[in-house]
């Protein structure tokens, strides 16, 4: 057994763990990063990046085959042709480039990385079974960044034709028909992409609308677009198996059957807390997640936890921000995770972005003003042939301090930075209205929504 020691041992090389490791290395801390799989975690290998690659590929094909949209511009449609094995190979190329890049960044920062699964002996020791043999690693600080995995449905366990997002993003064969269980962001992003690739997609959701974590106003354009794309959506319905077919049970008691080549179960993700003797540390939990304070400290001294294993929002950028902070705290800096805003972006069609408070939540705190600007009034949106959706700004009624910004529309994911910045900087509606926004851009709608909140939109 190899004996290794370090100041910081990070278990998990996803966006939480690898960012923590890079920052630790930059600060001159002796750090070791351990991951049982390739570097980059869920995000780079089976999550954010592969899903966005597939969404882009599907949208590119769809745009070239959309006869109505092309016809309006005096163009003709191309025949639909998909060699999906090559699409997947192209996606894998991007993943490989990024994961290799993470390895290079770790090396540059002077971080040692080991490929192998870690088992925790205590809060300062782990055994890592690597290809090169067993290692006992002793550390002063342990950072748990083990992420999350797809949650299973007891009625539809994974296996055979019942797949998770991981398999959906890896299979080189396009199914003819796909049932997606769960209309959350992962189910809808993938379902929409497969629909654009020519797959017959049916979505089954237990609640009464798609993307139930967003408000109804934001999700309505997404529901309309799904219908336009031919995606069938069953709301208030639960799925199970009966006699070799999917059985849908509506909340009103109605039942129906559905045949699908593949069933994608996308009902959420659960923290990865099992299988590496974490329970031996007896850390305080918060439900299924590890409980951490505002410094990402667990209940054991010098044991830290970051990313999906610590709870919602389970997002890559939150994991990375926590990882960077923990490295700085270990280096002796005074830090706390006091972010006002963590943008939640859904790469559906149209995209949805929400930062800060939505009107309903803001109203519970006091009087508010809501400014909206629809894409149908935006020159840029019209040139992109996408006038569905809007930008919305929620502000305090008394002093106009912005409390939340949301948008639904094609390409609005790129507005998330401006939204988050406005909230973190404590912007007022007047600040956004007084900032000159370039024309013609989608960003102009932020300026107009702020003016609408002040009662004097220019283009409405
Ligand atoms: C389909 C899909 C799409 C997504 N899209 C987005 C998006 O657009 N934007 C966004 O912000 N988020 C998205 N996410 C969520 C995002 O991927 C996660 O929030 C993020 O990866 C969490 O990072 P993490 O570092 O906490 O954990 P992970 O990325 O899950 O990494 C954890 C790592 O720990 C390793 N590990 C676990 N246990 C051990 C052990 N005992 N020993 C060694 N290694 C171990 C695992 O192998 C893994 O590599 C998506 C997720 C999915 C599934």
């Amino acid at each position: 057994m190899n004996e290794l020691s370090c100041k910081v041992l990070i278990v998990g090389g996803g966006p939480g763990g690898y960012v923590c490791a890079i920052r630790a290395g930059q600060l001159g801390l002796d750090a070791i990063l351990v991951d049982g799989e390739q570097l980059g975690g869920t995000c780079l290998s089976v999550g954010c990046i592969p899903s966005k690659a597939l969404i882009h590929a599907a949208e590119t094909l769809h745009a070239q085959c959309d006869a109505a949209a092309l016809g309006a511009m005096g163009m003709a449609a191309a025949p639909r042709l998909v060699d999906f094995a090559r699409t997947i190979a192209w996606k894998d190329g991007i993943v490989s480039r990024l994961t290799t890049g993470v390895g290079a960044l770790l090396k540059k920062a002077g971080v040692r990385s080991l490929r192998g699964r870690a088992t925790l002996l205590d809060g300062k020791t782990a055994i890592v079974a690597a290809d090169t043999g067993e290692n006992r690693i002793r550390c002063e600080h342990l950072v748990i960044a083990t992420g999350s995995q797809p949650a299973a449905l007891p009625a539809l366990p994974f296996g055979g034709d019942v797949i998770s997002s991981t398999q959906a993003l890896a299979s080189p064969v396009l199914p003819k028909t796909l049932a997606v269980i769960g209309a959350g962001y992962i189910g809808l992003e993938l379902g929409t992409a497969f629909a654009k690739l020519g797959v017959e997609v049916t979505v089954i959701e237990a609640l009464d609308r798609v993307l139930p974590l967003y408000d109804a106003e934001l999700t309505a354009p997404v529901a309309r677009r799904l219908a336009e794309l031919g995606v069938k959506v069953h709301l208030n319905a639960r799925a199970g198996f009966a006699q070799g077919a999917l059985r849908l049970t509506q909340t009103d008691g109605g039942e129906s059957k559905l045949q699908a080549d593949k069933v994608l179960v996308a009902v959420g993700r659960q923290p990865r807390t099992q299988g590496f003797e974490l329970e031996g540390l007896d850390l305080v939990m918060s439900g299924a997640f590890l409980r951490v304070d505002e410094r990402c400290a667990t209940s054991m001294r010098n044991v830290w936890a970051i990313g999906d294993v610590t709870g919602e929002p389970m997002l890559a950028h939150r994991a990375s921000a926590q990882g960077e902070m923990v490295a700085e705290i270990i280096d002796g800096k005074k830090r706390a995770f006091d972010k006002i805003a963590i943008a939640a972006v859904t790469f559906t069609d149209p995209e949805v972005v929400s930062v800060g408070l939505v009107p309903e939540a803001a109203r519970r705190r006091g009087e508010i003003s809501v400014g909206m600007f629809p894409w149908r009034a935006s020159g840029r949106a019209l040139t992109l042939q996408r006038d569905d959706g809007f930008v919305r700004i929620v502000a305090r009624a008394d002093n106009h301090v912005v409390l939340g910004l949301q948008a639904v529309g094609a390409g609005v994911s790129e507005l998330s930075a401006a939204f988050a910045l406005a909230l973190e900087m404590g912007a007022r509606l007047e600040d956004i209205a007084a900032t000159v926004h370039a024309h013609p851009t989608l960003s102009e709608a932020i300026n107009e929504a702020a003016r609408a909140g002040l009662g004097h939109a220019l283009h409405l």
Side-chain angles (χ1 to χ4, degrees):
M1 168 117 47
N2 297 323
E3 300 286 343
L4 299 171
S5 67
C6 60
K7 171 105 177 170
V8 195
L9 171 62
I10 300 135
V11 179
Y18 86 70
V19 167
C20 182
I22 290 174
R23 187 70 187 121
Q26 287 173 344
L27 292 164
L29 303 173
D30 180 18
I32 296 182
L33 175 71
V34 174
D35 199 307
E37 309 283 334
Q38 70 182 1
L39 291 167
T42 303
C43 175
L44 295 197
S45 297
V46 294
C48 323
I49 296 299
S51 61
K52 272 73 225 179
L54 194 67
I55 289 166
H56 171 71
E59 174 52 30
T60 305
L61 178 74
H62 179 73
Q64 284 176 15
C65 299
D66 187 342
L70 289 173
M73 294 184 287
M75 297 172 181
R80 182 188 295 267
L81 191 75
V82 185
D83 178 346
F84 199 55
R86 285 183 66 184
T87 312
I88 291 293
W90 166 77
K91 177 267 296 179
D92 287 343
I94 298 169
V95 170
S96 156
R97 205 165 140 181
L98 290 172
T99 53
T100 310
V102 170
L105 291 171
L106 290 166
K107 214 169 173 181
K108 184 175 157 214
V111 176
R112 286 176 279 172
S113 65
L114 264 183
R115 182 159 182 169
R117 285 196 63 75
T119 304
L120 303 178
L121 293 188
D122 55 43
K124 294 201 177 315
T125 325
I127 300 290
V128 177
D131 307 340
T132 46
E134 283 226 319
N135 301 272
R136 189 198 322 265
I137 309 180
R138 290 177 207 280
C139 61
E140 284 175 41
H141 293 264
L142 173 67
V143 182
I144 300 166
T146 48
S148 64
Q149 59 204 12
L153 265 184
L156 290 168
F158 292 124
D161 292 332
V162 180
I163 58 172
S164 70
S165 56
T166 302
Q167 286 100 44
L169 288 164
S171 169
V173 181
L174 269 182
K176 266 184 122 81
T177 51
L178 175 73
V180 179
I181 318 297
Y185 86 92
I186 293 178
L188 281 199
E189 284 185 7
L190 296 184
T192 305
F194 279 108
K196 288 179 178 174
L197 290 164
V199 177
E200 210 177 288
V201 176
T202 306
V203 176
I204 297 117
E205 166 58 48
L207 297 177
D208 63 359
R209 66 164 185 269
V210 297
L211 297 175
L213 292 182
Y214 292 104
D215 62 74
E217 199 170 38
L218 273 177
T219 55
V222 179
R224 278 198 299 273
R225 183 73 173 149
L226 286 170
E228 276 169 28
L229 291 169
V231 175
K232 291 191 197 81
V233 179
H234 296 269
L235 299 172
N236 300 306
R238 290 183 180 276
F241 255 135
Q243 291 138 15
L246 265 182
R247 188 189 54 199
L248 310 189
T249 311
Q250 301 286 146
T251 27
D252 63 10
E255 289 205 348
S256 55
K257 280 193 175 172
L258 179 70
Q259 289 289 351
D261 295 343
K262 295 281 176 199
V263 179
L264 165 60
V265 174
V267 293
R269 298 189 53 87
Q270 61 190 37
R272 219 183 264 118
T273 52
Q274 315 250 309
F276 59 104
E277 303 295 329
L278 178 66
E279 45 292 351
L281 270 58
D282 203 20
L283 299 176
V284 175
M285 306 295 288
S286 176
F289 299 99
L290 280 175
R291 180 182 295 175
V292 289
D293 66 11
E294 72 291 348
R295 300 161 69 238
C296 286
T298 68
S299 53
M300 186 181 278
R301 197 162 171 267
N302 292 347
V303 176
W304 313 83
I306 55 175
D308 283 8
V309 77
T310 65
E312 297 286 353
M314 288 200 257
L315 293 170
H317 39 291
R318 169 177 171 268
S320 297
Q322 289 179 324
E324 182 184 31
M325 177 192 73
V326 164
E328 296 188 351
I329 291 173
I330 293 173
D331 188 48
K333 296 185 170 45
K334 218 168 145 41
R335 293 278 185 277
F337 201 72
D338 54 3
K339 309 294 176 204
I340 294 169
I342 295 180
V345 181
T346 294
F347 295 78
T348 39
D349 182 2
E351 295 174 348
V352 185
V353 55
S354 179
V355 189
L357 298 181
V358 296
E360 198 187 333
R363 244 176 236 122
R364 287 196 286 270
R365 297 192 180 180
E367 240 181 277
I368 58 165
S369 93
V370 179
M372 276 185 62
F373 191 76
W375 294 118
R376 63 182 154 68
S378 153
R380 182 60 181 142
L382 295 187
T383 64
L384 296 171
Q385 289 186 304
R386 294 303 299 267
D387 61 355
D388 47 338
F390 55 86
V391 171
R392 185 175 73 189
I393 303 191
V394 184
R396 280 173 58 140
D398 53 359
N399 59 12
H400 301 161
V401 168
V402 177
L403 300 172
L405 298 106
Q406 295 87 35
V408 51
V412 297
S413 54
E414 291 301 332
L415 302 186
S416 65
F419 287 5
L421 195 64
L423 282 186
E424 290 292 348
M425 305 280 293
R428 289 162 191 259
L429 291 176
E430 287 83 350
D431 297 320
I432 299 175
T435 303
V436 178
H437 286 65
H439 177 75
T441 61
L442 295 178
S443 309
E444 282 174 294
I446 311 174
N447 175 280
E448 284 283 9
R451 288 173 190 279
L454 293 167
H456 53 81
L458 288 171
H459 292 89
L460 268 187

